[in-house]
Amino acid sequence: MDISSVNSAAVTNSQGTTTGRKNILTQDDFLKLFTTQLKYQNPLEPLDNFQMASQMAQFNTVDALLKMNETMTQLATGQNSVNQLQMAGLIGKKVKTQGNNLVIEQGAVGEGMYQLAKPGKVIIQILNSQGAPVRLIDAGVRDTSLQKIGWDGKDQAGSSLPDGTYTFRILALDSQGLSVTVNTYQVGTVSGISLENGSAALQVNGGKVQLGDILSILN
């Protein structure tokens, strides 16, 4: 009598209907199945030593996997705690990350940067928090070095815009009129830590930034 037949018998009641099953079998479940198998084995065809050794090896494997899973969970929990401590130490620090947010705070405009994959003519578009364009800047032809946005916080008419979070877009075309790949970066102060579904993220320029996405700490 093999384990699969015992398992089938264990989950079927006397009326032939199937009872609810657990999604995961624990070590105790395997041991119960094994002892049930021994109890109901055919006396004329008892479980031989090879079968018994094979099934005991399976039990040991299950036990090892359960312990490994528990250890990995503990390691992950510990790593999350370390990451949160590192994040807490960054509050108030100015960092550079990938992104395209610009913040105006008390009239001061945050820094934004970009880098072209190859030289090209650049147009910078500034958008407000609703995604509406408020400024177009003709930056001329730029090379592949790191470039600053250089926005003064004013709209197209020259009026100062209110405090808030803005975004920038870069349109770059090469000499053939083909689009050029652009990487954008934002510089901002870490204002706090947000926790969502057990995952922590830094709050920078009104958005969320993962610890691994920080490219440099500037102060």
Side-chain angles (χ1 to χ4, degrees):
M1 183 176 187
D2 60 20
I3 286 182
S4 61
S5 61
V6 174
N7 186 31
S8 176
V11 296
T12 306
N13 61 21
S14 59
Q15 284 76 29
T17 58
T18 302
T19 60
R21 298 187 185 186
K22 293 187 293 185
N23 291 329
I24 300 175
L25 288 177
T26 65
Q27 184 186 26
D28 288 341
D29 294 325
F30 276 102
L31 290 174
K32 288 177 182 177
L33 288 173
F34 183 65
T35 54
T36 301
Q37 181 181 7
L38 292 176
K39 181 178 179 181
Y40 291 103
Q41 67 178 327
N42 187 344
L44 300 178
E45 296 180 3
L47 192 68
D48 62 33
N49 292 336
F50 177 79
Q51 288 178 303
M52 183 175 295
S54 176
Q55 292 185 14
M56 288 303 297
Q58 292 178 30
F59 297 149
N60 290 334
T61 300
V62 170
D63 184 46
L65 289 174
L66 290 173
K67 290 180 179 178
M68 182 182 297
N69 182 63
E70 182 180 353
T71 300
M72 294 300 293
T73 300
Q74 292 173 350
L75 287 174
T77 301
Q79 185 61 49
N80 285 338
S81 299
V82 170
N83 288 344
Q84 290 175 22
L85 286 174
Q86 290 178 330
M87 288 179 172
L90 290 174
I91 294 177
K93 299 288 187 180
K94 183 180 287 188
V95 296
K96 174 186 172 185
T97 70
Q98 288 191 329
N100 64 334
N101 283 353
L102 291 171
V103 171
I104 299 180
E105 187 174 3
Q106 297 181 353
V109 183
E111 298 178 55
M113 293 173 281
Y114 63 94
Q115 192 165 22
L116 305 180
K118 60 181 179 179
K121 180 175 175 56
V122 174
I123 298 293
I124 303 171
Q125 185 181 44
I126 308 295
L127 304 97
N128 63 19
S129 58
Q130 284 75 45
V134 295
R135 179 79 178 271
L136 283 177
I137 302 172
D138 186 346
V141 176
R142 299 288 175 168
D143 59 24
T144 58
S145 62
L146 191 64
Q147 307 288 333
K148 291 186 176 182
I149 296 297
W151 179 44
D152 57 6
K154 296 180 179 180
D155 62 15
Q156 205 67 33
S159 300
S160 296
L161 291 167
D163 287 2
T165 300
Y166 298 80
T167 58
F168 64 92
R169 292 176 181 169
I170 306 296
L171 172 63
L173 300 176
D174 64 14
S175 58
Q176 305 299 317
L178 300 177
S179 179
V180 176
T181 300
V182 185
N183 289 322
T184 59
Y185 308 96
Q186 62 186 16
V187 175
T189 300
V190 179
S191 58
I193 301 173
S194 63
L195 294 173
E196 186 174 343
N197 297 326
S199 178
L202 297 167
Q203 296 175 345
V204 181
N205 287 353
K208 297 178 181 179
V209 175
Q210 297 299 318
L211 182 62
D213 293 334
I214 293 178
L215 302 176
S216 60
I217 301 172
L218 305 180
N219 67 351

